[in-house]
Amino acid sequence: MKEYELSILFHPDLEMNLDPALDKVKKLIKSNGGKITKEEPEGKKRLAYPIDGNEFAIYYFLNAELPAEAPAKISGTLGITDEVIRFLVVKADPRRAKYLEAKAAEESEAEAEAKEEKKEEA
């Protein structure tokens, strides 16, 4: 199974009750043999341009391990789901994951150095 990234824009009217729509997407992934590895809710944001008369959307990002045939099935189902305004399913880039890990490690080292400098000043 390969790692995929799913970016989903939900209808803005679902802001107060996003759980049923999100559960529908999660069930879709699991029913196609996938496993969700990471979830990132980004909240309601303004769109760059109106989509179906909507100025806003609820952004949600998922990382999932999927079998080879699953992305096409998931895309087909998300395309006709009323709650979803737009979506994108792409294969995750392993180089990006390594870059993010290195960046996080670098930031934590910088924070540790800043704490040590404050202790030395006091």
Side-chain angles (χ1 to χ4, degrees), residues 60-101:
Y60 210 91
F61 300 102
L62 297 167
N63 285 16
E65 291 179 359
L66 300 170
E69 68 280 351
K73 292 178 182 178
I74 291 171
S75 294
T77 304
L78 287 177
I80 59 172
T81 303
D82 293 334
E83 296 91 355
V84 176
I85 296 175
R86 288 283 193 271
F87 68 93
L88 180 66
V89 180
V90 295
K91 191 162 62 168
D93 187 2
R95 294 175 294 177
R96 182 173 186 270
K98 289 179 185 177
Y99 167 76
L100 292 175
E101 288 175 10

Side-chain angles (χ1 to χ4, degrees), residues 15-27:
E15 185 175 22
M16 296 308 232
N17 196 13
L18 183 63
D19 293 336
L22 193 55
D23 288 341
K24 187 186 279 188
V25 172
K26 289 178 183 178
K27 286 179 186 176

Side-chain angles (χ1 to χ4, degrees), residues 9 13 20 24 45 61 66-67 95 98 102 110 113 116 121:
L9 303 182
D13 294 344
K24 187 186 279 188
K45 295 183 181 183
F61 300 102
L66 300 170
R95 294 175 294 177
K98 289 179 185 177
E113 289 176 6
E116 286 183 26
E121 290 177 4

Side-chain angles (χ1 to χ4, degrees), residues 35-56:
K35 179 179 120 182
I36 297 172
T37 57
K38 186 177 176 184
E39 296 182 40
E40 293 181 45
E42 290 290 322
K44 188 174 182 179
K45 295 183 181 183
R46 180 177 288 278
L47 296 169
Y49 55 89
I51 300 173
D52 296 333
N54 296 304
E55 297 283 330
F56 292 89

